[in-house]
Amino acid sequence: MRLAALLFLAVFAVNLRRACPTAFADDSPETVAAAATLGVTHPPGDPVVTLGGALALCVPAGAPAFRLNACSAALGGAAAVALWRLSALAPGGVPSPWALPAAAALVLGHPLLAQQAAVAKGASYLVNLLLLAAIAAGLLARRTTGACGLAGLLLAHHWMTLAALLPALAPAVLRGLPARGKRARPAALAGCAFTLGASLWLALPVRASARPFINSGGAFTAPRLAAHLARRAFARTEMTLRTAAWPGQAAAALGALHEGLGWPGWLLAAA
């Protein structure tokens, strides 16, 4: 526990030192305004960051934009701890001595993560990382109900991430359930936990109906909510996969993965 606290404080302190003092020129102004007015951001809506950001704005420390930037810095520290704790779930339950510095190096040394931990919009991506690490930890520890609850929260937060990883998560959930004759109650609990986490989606139509200052898509009716969650506003600008181009696209994706992870990411995976 002490090492986890020290890791969090160290990463948070560095991230806070790097934090942007005002709203960065990306989607951060929208993130700050939505948190301040409990609004609805661009698809898919991101109610987790909006509600969490509203709580962060209650902390009396600087301008609203800086408070959200500091929230991202704290999420970076929490992500480092979550990644480090995952290593304790390896065979034997003893984390590698290199896992802690590797987790810190990944969050602090990776250009993408370091940049996202300095701006308000980065909270969305860091919440993604936190939820994924927590879901993986829950599945490895066979705490299926908690993992399903977090998966529901990830669905409400950024359903595309959950959809992309569903083929890997579904078998792990089934393995975490008891034998077939005893699955009914644990499966029901897992389903209820998933539904409870996903119910945060209800914040979108509730807040949209109040006509806040930030109200992307006006998702206060079922068709508008469906269109907002389906990201139809971006449909004309997104790329589509072509079967003939799959080999080249797969190679490009692997290259992007390598570029995204960097050496700190490979070091953490090896640790």
Side-chain angles (χ1 to χ4, degrees):
M1 185 63 71
R2 290 182 180 179
L3 286 177
L6 288 174
L7 176 60
F8 170 80
L9 291 175
V11 174
F12 173 57
V14 175
N15 283 340
L16 192 62
R17 179 66 180 84
R18 297 171 172 176
C20 180
T22 185
F24 192 69
D26 53 5
D27 290 337
S28 293
E30 180 192 31
T31 302
V32 176
T37 61
L38 289 179
V40 179
T41 60
H42 66 271
D46 206 356
V48 175
V49 171
T50 298
L51 297 176
L55 293 176
L57 289 176
C58 296
V59 179
F66 178 76
R67 298 179 195 182
L68 268 293
N69 297 341
C71 179
S72 294
L75 287 171
V81 174
L83 292 171
W84 172 61
R85 292 299 299 171
L86 269 179
S87 63
L89 297 172
V94 179
S96 166
W98 295 104
L100 190 146
L106 175 62
V107 176
L108 293 176
H110 194 285
L112 179 60
L113 290 178
Q115 194 271 337
Q116 295 303 323
V119 298
K121 176 58 181 176
S124 294
Y125 307 109
L126 292 168
V127 167
N128 253 357
L129 180 59
L130 264 177
L131 289 176
L132 288 173
I135 291 169
L139 292 175
L140 288 172
R142 293 188 176 275
R143 297 177 179 175
T144 309
T145 301
C148 287
L150 293 172
L153 197 61
L154 180 59
L155 179 71
H157 170 61
H158 198 262
W159 67 263
M160 296 85 75
T161 301
L162 183 65
L165 296 176
L166 194 59
L169 292 177
V173 170
L174 292 176
R175 284 196 301 268
L177 294 174
R180 289 188 178 181
K182 302 180 180 179
R183 278 187 178 179
R185 186 171 182 274
L189 289 175
C192 289
F194 181 84
T195 303
L196 182 63
S199 66
L200 204 61
W201 257 343
L202 296 175
L204 298 181
V206 169
R207 288 306 306 157
S209 63
R211 306 297 200 278
F213 178 70
I214 300 294
N215 193 16
S216 177
F220 50 83
T221 64
R224 288 192 175 195
L225 177 62
H228 193 72
L229 295 177
R231 308 174 77 248
R232 290 181 188 169
F234 299 148
R236 295 182 179 179
T237 60
E238 291 182 336
M239 295 184 295
T240 56
L241 291 175
R242 296 179 180 177
T243 305
W246 279 3
Q249 290 172 336
L254 289 175
L257 177 64
H258 174 73
E259 182 180 355
L261 284 175
W263 292 114
W266 295 120
L267 178 61
L268 179 63

